[in-house]
Amino acid sequence: MRRTRLVTAALGLLAVVTVAAGVLVPAAPASAAVTFTAPEGGFVGTASFTVSGTKGAGSSLVLSSDDRILCEVAATEETAWSCPGVSLANGVWDLAAVETLSDDSEQPPVPSRVRVLGPPTIDGAGTVMTTGLFTGVGAPGTRVELLVDGTPVTGAEECPATISSGFWSCRLVVPTGTYQVSARQIDAAFPDRASFPSSAVRATVDRDIPASPVVTSPEAGTRTTDGRLETRGTGEPGATVQVFASGSLLCETTAAGTGAWSCPIGLPSPGEWSIQVLQIDPAGNFSAPIAPLSVLAGPAGATPTPRPTAPGAPSPPADSPTPSPTPGPDGTPSPSPSAPHDGDASPRPSTGPITPTPAPPGSVATNWGTPSGFGNALPTLAQVAERGGLLLGLLVALGYLLLIALPIRAFSTAALPRLRSRGPRMLGRNRPAVVDTEPLLSPTVTAVAVFGVAALLAALSGSVAWEVRYLRLTAAIGLGLLVLNAVGVSLPARLAGRTWRAPVTVQLLPGILFAAAAAAVLTRFGELRPALLIGVVLVASAAGTVRMRARVGVASAQLGGVAVLSLLAWAAHDLLTPSTGFWMSLWSETAAAVALGGLGSLLLLLLPVGLYPGRALYAVSRPLWVVAALLAGAVAGAIFAAGANFPLLLLTLVAAAVAAVLMAITAWVRWVEPSLR
């Protein structure tokens, strides 16, 4: 009986404890249950999308990426959650969903990775008129696909990948007509997934080649005494009309709504000129030029001089030429004449550089952004190889060594000192020299004047006219010479001086201007293409009593600096050509000035005379100097001799004649004259 009571009391106590525990201890919270259900496959084709998934009942959620909160989901009993309108730029993004349970405890983030690839943009608002070329901006490295009425077109060419800046261009080969065109892009990592299409543009594709314009004035055989002519005619309304004289663009205008157009031109010099006119319709299709019209400039009775097409310029086509546009980054075609291609209106870039003839005031060539043609004759590396420039370069190097460098060395060391010693003296030998410690001009004024004259001489080596674009050219050449002297000569020499622990002095050599003037005269009257320029007016040398290897190090540093900078500028000029607009033309002309001025100056700096660094190399090691001279001569010769119109044979004959005179004077002064005493 007593045992029964004890068991009953124990069971009652256990029941009380159990009830109290159930009242006082809270229920365990629900476990974390976050999942992602969208976007599926980790890819979205638009920049704004919805992220959704599941969570635990009664919990809240925060969606973030790179510490940026994208969405907050309030605590509800619903287990499904959604974040609409999440906006992310193109790229791969790591999403993190942090769930907060009902007891305010946070669970570890649940990650999800998504690749965002929004639709590209397509240039044009409203209606676009084009030959079939479309441009826009997309994600770098993606492939753009064109769609007509929302369907990919099999007639679209395989478009190149979007470049690093995002620019893309793609050609749609369809018949002439009006279409709704959009674009989408595809990432190489998801070749089976594409972005959403872009907003469609209404595009009028015009692939019909326009007829040649009609010229009503001037007539064939017209003579102008002052070189001025008014060209008139009719064409397609809204078309761009271009007037050429013997291959050089002199004027550009737009035909009115009635088709009428007029364009004043001025012929730069007396003689016989061939006038041709073509038109470019609003879509960018080029017509064939009209048959050449021969006109005369100059007073009556003067013998006309035919004007050939400038070297390197494309000759006006005789039959049915089809110049075509080369698209720019903004999608606007820029003209570049080219040969016909079996009726295909697709653009074909011009392969030859254009050397424009000076144009009259008021024409298109007077604009600030009009290319001057400076440096257009610089061949590319492929053209150097095609034209046999490598072999020509070796021949030029041997000619430089045997006909220029060594004769000048012999004359300057054996003959020139004796000729100077026997020259007339204006002052008596015992009369003290007057030393003026104060220079006539400050060093800054002298340096600015020398650089300015050098830039002006380089600009005058071409066909400079009274046009504002040649002010830009002169500024570009001045900037190029400044870069060449500062970065090519001064900077490497000072770095070498620090390496060899030798003081370095940089000297201005105004006497180099005589060589620059000679090169300008030779270029202009010898019609050298590319131009021969002397752009280095500074030389650096180790000062004081230093070891010979320090002098050689400083000399080699500036020679190497000029050579490397010239080659880099040559490559940059190739990338910047063809150029349009003020800034692109400025940088292209600056690169050409550095390349031409550096290559021309390199041969001057290697001369083993005076203060030139070539003398230090020659003094320490003649084989080293020979190798450097041959290498520099081969590189410069390959580039110059591969030009479109470089008179290598004529220059070789001139160099041989000058070398013969120098060696004759040297032989007379050193051997013949002493024997006659």
Side-chain angles (χ1 to χ4, degrees):
M1 186 70 177
R2 185 177 181 183
R3 183 177 296 179
T4 302
R5 291 178 180 175
L6 290 175
V7 172
T8 302
L11 291 176
L13 180 59
L14 180 61
V16 172
V17 172
T18 302
V19 173
V23 173
L24 298 177
V25 178
S31 59
V34 174
T35 62
F36 287 89
T37 58
E40 297 180 359
F43 179 89
V44 290
T46 179
S48 181
F49 53 95
T50 298
V51 181
S52 61
T54 61
K55 65 177 184 63
S59 63
S60 61
L61 183 140
V62 175
L63 180 69
S64 62
S65 177
D66 289 345
D67 297 329
R68 181 168 69 94
I69 296 177
L70 303 177
C71 174
E72 295 185 12
V73 178
T76 63
E77 294 300 323
E78 297 290 335
T79 58
W81 62 272
S82 177
C83 286
V86 173
S87 180
L88 291 173
N90 291 335
V92 178
W93 297 90
D94 289 321
L95 306 179
V98 178
E99 183 182 21
T100 302
L101 304 181
S102 56
D103 64 349
D104 292 335
S105 63
E106 288 187 356
Q107 298 301 303
V110 177
S112 178
R113 177 165 291 185
V114 62
R115 172 65 165 104
V116 179
L117 186 63
T121 62
I122 185 169
D123 292 334
T127 301
V128 177
M129 181 166 288
T130 175
T131 58
L133 181 71
F134 293 87
T135 60
V137 178
T142 58
R143 181 174 62 86
V144 174
E145 190 175 55
L146 294 178
L147 302 92
V148 173
D149 297 329
T151 304
V153 184
T154 57
E157 297 179 356
E158 181 71 19
C159 305
T162 304
I163 63 176
S164 58
S165 65
F167 173 78
W168 63 266
S169 63
C170 192
R171 178 164 298 281
L172 185 64
V173 184
V174 293
T176 298
T178 302
Y179 304 89
Q180 292 288 335
V181 180
S182 58
R184 66 184 184 183
Q185 54 187 344
I186 302 171
D187 191 356
F190 295 86
D192 57 337
R193 305 288 296 271
S195 72
F196 287 8
S198 66
S199 299
V201 297
R202 182 179 175 85
T204 299
V205 178
D206 181 4
R207 295 175 55 82
D208 298 330
I209 299 175
S212 300
V214 176
V215 178
T216 58
S217 176
E219 297 180 350
T222 299
R223 177 182 291 277
T224 170
T225 57
D226 59 359
R228 298 181 181 274
L229 285 174
E230 181 77 18
T231 57
R232 299 191 196 90
T234 58
E236 183 175 323
T240 299
V241 179
Q242 294 181 338
V243 181
F244 295 83
S246 296
S248 296
L249 177 63
L250 292 190
C251 187
E252 182 176 290
T253 187
T254 301
T258 59
W261 61 268
S262 64
C263 209
I265 64 172
L267 303 176
S269 59
E272 182 179 355
W273 295 84
S274 178
I275 303 298
Q276 285 190 287
V277 184
L278 59 83
Q279 63 177 340
I280 313 164
D281 67 15
N285 298 297
F286 280 63
S287 75
I290 66 168
L293 292 174
S294 179
V295 298
L296 302 174
T303 303
T305 302
R307 298 288 172 179
T309 302
S315 301
D319 298 322
S320 57
T322 309
S324 55
T326 300
D330 58 352
T332 303
S334 58
S336 59
S338 63
H341 191 71
D342 300 331
D344 184 3
S346 59
R348 310 285 176 182
S350 174
T351 57
I354 299 175
T355 306
T357 304
S363 70
V364 67
T366 62
N367 295 333
W368 280 105
T370 304
S372 65
F374 178 75
N376 280 352
L378 262 175
T380 63
L381 183 60
Q383 290 172 336
V384 169
E386 291 173 1
R387 300 170 184 174
L390 301 178
L391 178 60
L392 291 176
L394 294 176
L395 297 177
V396 169
L398 290 174
Y400 167 75
L401 192 68
L402 300 177
L403 300 180
I404 298 177
L406 292 178
I408 289 178
R409 169 70 184 181
F411 176 78
S412 63
T413 56
L416 191 58
R418 294 189 181 183
L419 293 176
R420 285 178 176 175
S421 64
R422 297 173 186 176
R425 293 176 178 267
M426 298 299 296
L427 300 175
R429 176 177 298 179
N430 298 326
R431 183 172 178 176
V434 178
V435 179
D436 187 3
T437 58
E438 293 293 332
L440 183 61
L441 296 175
S442 70
T444 302
V445 173
T446 303
V448 171
V450 169
F451 274 99
V453 172
L456 184 60
L457 289 173
L460 291 176
S461 64
S463 300
V464 176
W466 293 106
E467 302 172 11
V468 293
R469 59 176 172 160
Y470 291 108
L471 294 178
R472 184 202 65 224
L473 172 62
T474 305
I477 293 176
L479 178 60
L481 299 189
L482 184 62
V483 171
L484 184 63
N485 285 270
V487 181
V489 176
S490 180
L491 181 60
R494 293 189 182 279
L495 292 178
R498 291 187 179 182
T499 302
W500 294 103
R501 297 180 179 178
V504 174
T505 60
V506 178
Q507 293 177 277
L508 187 69
L509 295 182
I512 292 183
L513 293 179
F514 291 102
V521 171
L522 183 63
T523 296
R524 187 175 182 91
F525 295 99
E527 296 185 354
L528 303 187
R529 296 292 182 273
L532 181 62
L533 303 183
I534 304 297
V536 174
V537 296
L538 299 177
V539 291
S541 58
T545 304
V546 295
R547 284 183 278 185
M548 182 57 70
R549 62 181 181 180
R551 296 186 182 277
V552 174
V554 173
S556 302
Q558 56 188 310
L559 289 172
V562 172
V564 170
L565 190 60
S566 302
L567 294 178
L568 291 177
W570 179 40
H573 178 266
D574 186 25
L575 295 176
L576 294 171
T577 304
S579 59
T580 57
F582 176 83
W583 291 108
M584 287 295 293
S585 297
L586 177 68
W587 303 134
S588 176
E589 291 161 352
T590 301
V594 174
L596 293 173
L599 292 172
S601 301
L602 193 61
L603 301 179
L604 180 66
L605 295 177
L606 274 166
L607 292 177
V609 296
L611 297 175
Y612 298 140
R615 182 178 182 181
L617 288 182
Y618 187 89
V620 70
S621 174
R622 295 185 182 182
L624 178 63
W625 173 81
V626 169
V627 171
L630 288 177
L631 186 60
V635 173
I639 295 175
F640 280 104
N645 188 32
F646 197 80
L648 181 59
L649 179 60
L650 177 61
L651 293 181
T652 302
L653 295 176
V654 172
V658 174
V661 172
L662 294 180
M663 294 307 296
I665 296 175
T666 302
W668 175 269
V669 172
R670 187 169 183 178
W671 291 294
V672 178
E673 185 186 17
S675 64
L676 295 179
R677 295 179 185 175

